[in-house]
């Protein structure tokens, strides 16, 4: 499996299970991590050395009254040990920061890339807030895990082992007395670990729900305002927020129950050990120097025990986030370059549907039923049908956004499933029903995804062809005008024209126009239709439109109803038959006539509204 490292520092084209497992997540940072743990260990050992030196100083220097050259040497050693301890702590902190930040940077990049490679079906079924939560807050919890807890674990174990060994070397009984509380702390921590894990998981889930609500509200703020639903939405948010507050409070309650209990246990342990040590010193079992040294060691022995519990509980949050991140990583990606067929050059564009049926994963009935038709290279196929009849679903099968359930769909005689998705999507240009523009300049939006350098002249020519140039030049910044949240807001029709210009530049072999002229006025539609006619030449085209005028020139017109093709043929053929097509034609022609007449006579408003009511009734 190839493992090319991109400039972003994450690997593409690697197994999607690559980052599963904490040790694997550490890949590339293991040395730094081990270095950080080692640094902590050395600092701990130097700290214990300090205590042992104290014993030597009290018993052998002060006790023996050796004030010759030993005294300054001991003094210097104290300074050297303290300096060494500081230096290694610093080094360890630096390495652990590098490990944690490096891992999370790579993880975030990886998840961003990964999310874009998941299938349409996955995105249909997953809430945006949930994905945001997992790539931000959960990754951050993992960062804390690697920065504090994973290094902390190494530190705690080393501190414990070193100080325990040092204490054992001084006095075995005292050492054993000092760790009596350890099993109790471990059992209690594991109990809280499970409790906190559950509480934190519930907390994260609720937070994801809250960010979904917020994100949906911000996106749909116009709808909220238009329907004057602010107070309803506020109440709904307040309710979610209250739930979040409850869960957060429970989490903190658990923490606040744990800390005092562990502090009491550890405090008791320390007191007990110090008193026992004092008694031993009074009895003469140990020297005064040993007692002084052991107090330092006991403090440094209890510290890791106390922190062990804290760490175990904190780790539970890291583990929950780790689980949530891994769930996302494990989602199957949509393979872009699989497929057994390796086409050379562009496709011709012969598309044949044979008894194609299709059903959405989350839907309960077939959306497309026994679809059969043929589109010769360069032909135009028009799809007409009421809303929800399956037009968009049908064209979405071509770039393999979704997989048809049964039947056969071939492009140039090869089954569509044999083609790599990436290749298909390069060959197909789509002007979507609701085009999406990025918060970038108009130029960037027009040249988006073209896959090659586009000169300013080319971009301008495409904009002219899409009847967009005049609109753009009316903005003070012209092609450099920012669109979207930070810049100007384009109208629905203008957005559609940006999408048309973008597709013109892409120059695909197969063209899909999903209601490309739905939100433009009749005059602009005329202009765009001309541009589209020009664009359609020599390309296989699928046109979805509601106006007969937009589809009448197509080589084949398919009328869809509830997923079935109910009528097919050219405009003339369909006009010669009884059926939906002729009904639509008649209604649309009549409406246009009447409208013209009404406008000509500047008639009363009430009559005009009758005509509009009729338009609405046709439900097309
Ligand atoms: P389409 O989206 O294909 O209908 O949905 P359409 O013909 O293009 O309609 P308009 O003209 O744009 O409005 C066909 C059916 O598929 C279901 C819809 O509920 C509809 O009944 N559907 C669509 C899903 O179940 N899931 C989807 O992601 C999209
Ligand atoms: Mg549609």
């Amino acid at each position: 499996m190839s493992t090319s490292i991109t400039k972003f520092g994450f690997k593409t084209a690697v197994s999607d299970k690559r980052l599963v497992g904490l040790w694997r997540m550490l890949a590339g940072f293991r040395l730094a991590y081990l270095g950080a743990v080692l640094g902590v260990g050395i600092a701990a050992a130097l700290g214990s050395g300090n205590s042992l030196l104290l014993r030597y100083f009290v018993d052998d220097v002060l006790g023996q009254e050796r004030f010759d050259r030993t005294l300054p040497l001991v003094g210097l050693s104290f300074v050297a040990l303290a300096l060494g301890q500081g230096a290694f702590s610093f080094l360890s902190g630096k390495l652990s920061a590098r490990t944690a930040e490096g891992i999370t940077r790579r993880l975030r990049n990886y998840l961003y890339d990964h999310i874009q490679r998941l299938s349409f079906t996955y995105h249909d079924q997953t809430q945006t807030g949930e994905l945001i939560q997992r790539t931000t807050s959960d990754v951050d919890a993992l960062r804390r895990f690697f920065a504090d807890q994973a290094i902390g674990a190494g530190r705690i174990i080393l501190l414990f082992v070193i100080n325990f060994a040092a204490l054992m070397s001084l006095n075995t009984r005292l050492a054993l007395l000092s760790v009596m509380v350890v099993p109790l702390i471990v059992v209690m921590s594991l109990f809280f670990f499970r409790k906190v894990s559950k509480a934190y998981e519930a907390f994260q889930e609720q937070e994801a729900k809250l960010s979904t609500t917020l994100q949906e509200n911000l996106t749909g703020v116009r709808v909220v305002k238009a329907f004057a639903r602010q107070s309803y939405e506020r109440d709904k948010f307040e309710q979610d927020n209250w739930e979040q507050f409850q869960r957060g409070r429970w989490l903190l309650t658990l923490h606040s129950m744990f800390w005092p209990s562990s502090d009491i246990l550890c405090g008791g342990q320390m007191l007990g050990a110090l008193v026992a040590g004092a008694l031993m010193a009074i009895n003469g079992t140990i020297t005064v120097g040993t007692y002084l040294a052991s107090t330092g060691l006991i403090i440094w022995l209890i510290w890791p025990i106390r922190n062990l519990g804290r760490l175990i509980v904190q780790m539970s949050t890291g583990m929950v986030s780790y689980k949530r991140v891994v769930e996302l990583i494990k989602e199957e990606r949509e393979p872009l370059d699989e497929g057994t067929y390796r086409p050379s050059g562009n496709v011709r564009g012969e598309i044949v549907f044979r008894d194609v049926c299709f059903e959405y994963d989350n839907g309960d009935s077939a959306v497309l039923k026994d679809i059969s038709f043929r589109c010769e290279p360069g032909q135009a196929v028009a799809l007409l049908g009421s809303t929800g009849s399956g037009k968009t679903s049908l064209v979405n099968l071509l770039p393999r956004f979704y997989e048809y359930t049964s039947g056969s769909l071939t492009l140039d005689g090869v089954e569509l499933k044999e083609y790599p998705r990436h290749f298909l999507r390069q060959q197909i240009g789509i002007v979507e029903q609701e085009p999406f523009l990025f918060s970038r300049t108009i130029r960037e939006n027009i040249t988006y995804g073209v896959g090659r350098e586009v000169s300013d002249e080319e971009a301008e020519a495409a904009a002219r062809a899409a009847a967009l140039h005049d609109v753009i030049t009316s903005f003070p910044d012209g092609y450099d005008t920012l669109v979207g949240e930070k810049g100007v807001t384009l109208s629905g029709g203008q957005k559609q024209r940006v999408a048309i210009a973008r597709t013109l530049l892409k120059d695909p072999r197969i063209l899909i126009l999903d209601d490309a002229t739905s939100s433009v006025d009749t005059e602009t539609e005329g202009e765009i239709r001309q541009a589209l006619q020009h664009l359609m030449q020599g390309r296989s085209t699928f046109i979805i439109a509601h106006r007969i005028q937009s589809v009448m020139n197509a080589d084949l017109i398919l009328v869809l109803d509830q997923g079935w093709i109910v009528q097919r043929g050219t405009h003339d053929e369909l006009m010669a038959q009884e059926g939906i097509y002729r009904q639509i034609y008649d209604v649309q022609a009549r409406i246009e006539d009447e409208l013209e007449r009404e406008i000509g006579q500047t008639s009363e408003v009430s009559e005009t509204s009758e005509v509009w009511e009729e338009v609405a009734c046709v439900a097309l």
Side-chain angles (χ1 to χ4, degrees):
M1 192 158 283
S2 73
T3 52
S4 57
I5 297 180
T6 69
K7 64 177 171 156
F8 301 111
F10 61 85
K11 295 169 183 177
T12 51
V14 289
S15 152
D16 50 356
K17 312 291 183 306
R18 196 175 62 85
L19 290 173
V20 176
L22 289 172
W23 185 243
R24 272 194 236 163
M25 260 186 201
L26 271 170
F29 295 96
R30 287 178 191 146
L31 263 183
Y33 173 72
L34 291 178
V37 176
L38 204 69
V40 153
I42 295 175
L46 293 178
S48 310
N50 226 337
S51 299
L52 295 178
L53 190 64
L54 182 67
R55 188 196 69 101
Y56 173 75
F57 176 63
V58 174
D59 286 354
D60 297 351
V61 181
L62 288 183
Q64 313 276 320
E65 296 190 5
R66 284 163 55 192
F67 298 122
D68 53 353
R69 261 189 295 150
T70 329
L71 198 61
L73 264 179
V74 170
L76 271 180
S77 303
F78 273 122
V79 174
L81 283 174
L83 279 179
Q85 203 178 350
F88 279 102
S89 294
F90 170 74
L91 188 73
S92 162
K94 204 169 141 72
L95 287 174
S96 76
R98 183 194 289 181
T99 309
E101 296 299 336
I103 289 173
T104 42
R105 170 174 163 262
R106 182 173 63 188
L107 195 61
R108 251 185 255 121
N109 277 336
Y110 182 83
L111 289 175
Y112 184 73
D113 177 56
H114 182 65
I115 288 172
Q116 302 195 44
R117 289 163 192 266
L118 296 174
S119 66
F120 269 59
T121 308
Y122 179 81
H123 283 289
D124 287 347
Q125 292 167 6
T126 313
Q127 290 179 323
T128 318
E130 186 68 50
L131 292 177
I132 293 175
Q133 183 77 359
R134 288 181 198 228
T135 36
T136 54
S137 163
D138 283 324
V139 169
D140 203 51
L142 266 175
R143 184 187 59 77
R144 283 199 302 274
F145 173 81
F146 281 113
D148 306 333
Q149 297 142 25
I151 305 284
R155 182 164 192 226
I156 283 169
I157 292 169
L158 281 172
L159 269 178
F160 183 82
V161 170
I162 291 170
N163 285 302
F164 185 63
L167 201 55
M168 286 284 272
S169 75
L170 291 182
N171 187 292
T172 319
R173 257 179 60 206
L174 188 60
L176 289 176
L177 267 174
S178 308
V179 294
M180 263 167 47
V181 79
V182 170
L184 219 71
I185 292 266
V186 169
V187 170
M188 195 177 86
S189 309
L190 289 178
F191 172 76
F192 274 96
F193 177 84
R194 290 175 62 178
K195 287 252 171 229
V196 170
S197 290
K198 264 199 192 146
Y200 181 69
E201 196 165 0
F203 178 80
Q204 286 296 81
E205 272 168 17
Q206 184 62 22
E207 197 166 275
K209 200 171 154 195
L210 207 66
S211 41
T212 300
T213 312
L214 181 67
Q215 174 259 334
E216 233 175 44
N217 241 274
L218 294 179
T219 322
V221 70
R222 284 158 208 273
V223 184
V224 176
K225 280 183 184 287
F227 284 83
R229 297 287 277 174
Q230 286 99 328
S231 30
Y232 169 81
E233 292 296 336
R234 188 202 54 216
D235 291 349
K236 193 167 161 281
F237 186 81
E238 254 176 31
Q239 208 178 339
D240 281 349
N241 202 11
W242 171 252
E243 180 65 34
Q244 170 81 343
F245 164 73
Q246 298 273 51
R247 293 184 184 190
R249 199 167 59 170
W250 174 232
L251 193 61
L252 283 181
T253 310
L254 280 175
H255 279 269
S256 58
M257 285 197 298
F258 176 75
W259 303 143
S261 342
S262 85
D263 280 355
I264 289 170
L265 277 176
C266 290
Q269 168 75 80
M270 184 133 62
L271 194 67
L274 291 181
V275 169
L279 288 175
M280 284 172 151
I282 293 168
N283 286 346
T285 324
I286 53 174
T287 62
V288 177
T290 306
Y291 176 65
L292 277 181
S294 69
T295 51
L297 290 176
I298 288 169
I299 291 171
W300 280 107
L301 188 64
I302 304 289
W303 185 88
I305 299 174
R306 181 166 169 268
N307 277 276
L308 177 74
R310 197 165 277 228
L311 193 82
I312 289 177
V313 173
Q314 278 173 348
M315 268 187 175
S316 62
T317 58
M319 286 296 103
V320 169
S321 288
Y322 166 74
K323 201 180 94 192
R324 286 165 54 83
V325 167
V326 164
E327 259 172 23
L328 181 57
I329 294 178
K330 276 188 172 170
E331 271 312 318
E332 279 306 323
R333 286 180 179 197
E334 182 185 55
L336 284 177
D337 47 9
E338 93 306 11
T340 44
Y341 183 61
R342 290 274 169 268
S344 53
N346 288 334
V347 296
R348 285 186 303 121
E350 183 209 46
I351 297 157
V352 184
F353 279 70
R354 273 191 214 98
D355 299 324
V356 171
C357 294
F358 170 66
E359 193 174 318
Y360 284 101
D361 269 7
N362 54 348
D364 40 25
S365 61
V367 171
L368 295 174
K369 297 153 193 164
D370 292 335
I371 302 290
S372 300
F373 70 91
R374 168 185 284 272
C375 169
E376 298 295 346
Q379 276 194 340
V381 174
L383 300 169
L384 204 72
S386 59
T387 173
S389 56
K391 305 181 293 294
T392 303
S393 305
L394 192 151
V395 293
N396 275 348
L397 297 181
L398 294 171
R400 291 189 65 190
F401 288 157
Y402 299 93
E403 298 293 327
Y404 44 98
T405 338
S406 66
S408 139
L409 171 48
T410 59
L411 171 61
D412 291 353
V414 178
E415 197 66 32
L416 211 62
K417 285 177 182 163
E418 308 277 317
Y419 282 93
R421 286 182 175 83
H422 202 67
F423 172 79
L424 277 179
R425 291 172 194 177
Q426 279 167 350
Q427 298 289 312
I428 300 175
I430 309 172
V431 179
E432 286 180 353
Q433 201 164 1
E434 291 155 27
F436 178 82
L437 300 189
F438 292 93
S439 302
R440 303 175 193 172
T441 63
I442 295 192
R443 190 195 317 279
E444 280 172 288
N445 270 294
I446 291 180
T447 56
Y448 184 82
V450 177
R452 60 185 166 85
E453 272 302 310
V454 180
S455 66
D456 288 354
E457 291 73 36
E458 264 184 287
E460 197 182 305
R464 275 184 202 281
L468 188 67
H469 181 70
D470 293 341
V471 179
I472 299 175
T473 45
S474 72
F475 298 132
D477 291 335
Y479 281 81
D480 293 320
T481 307
L482 271 177
V483 294
E485 284 166 1
K486 278 195 191 152
V488 299
T489 308
L490 296 185
S491 72
Q494 289 164 346
K495 278 189 198 164
Q496 266 182 337
R497 282 179 272 163
V498 172
I500 291 173
R502 186 192 277 173
T503 313
L504 277 167
L505 276 177
K506 191 178 171 189
D507 194 20
R509 301 312 308 152
I510 300 169
L511 196 60
I512 296 173
L513 308 170
D514 194 348
D515 245 354
T517 52
S518 65
S519 38
V520 293
D521 56 82
T522 335
E523 198 183 326
T524 322
E525 191 196 344
E527 279 178 49
I528 294 179
R529 204 180 301 139
Q530 266 182 356
L532 288 180
Q533 286 294 345
H534 181 66
L535 173 67
M536 281 157 56
Q537 270 167 24
R539 302 169 211 271
S540 307
T541 311
F542 288 77
I543 315 162
I544 299 178
H546 286 140
R547 293 190 195 137
I548 295 274
Q549 257 188 324
S550 305
V551 303
M552 57 197 284
N553 292 326
D555 299 286
L556 174 66
I557 301 170
L558 303 173
V559 182
L560 263 79
D561 188 29
Q562 293 179 16
W564 303 98
I565 296 181
V566 287
Q567 270 191 304
R568 63 175 74 214
T570 59
H571 174 71
D572 294 337
E573 285 165 5
L574 291 174
M575 285 302 287
Q577 306 171 1
E578 281 291 319
I580 302 181
Y581 189 82
R582 212 168 74 188
Q583 283 171 13
I584 299 169
Y585 180 85
D586 288 345
V587 171
Q588 288 190 358
R590 191 154 53 83
I591 290 169
E592 269 170 33
D593 278 357
E594 280 183 32
L595 267 181
E596 262 173 39
R597 223 170 333 115
E598 303 266 333
I599 293 163
Q601 294 168 1
T602 53
S603 69
E604 285 173 26
V605 182
S606 61
E607 285 176 48
T608 324
S609 13
E610 267 171 38
V611 180
W612 283 115
E613 266 167 34
E614 194 163 357
V615 178
C617 285
V618 178
L620 267 174

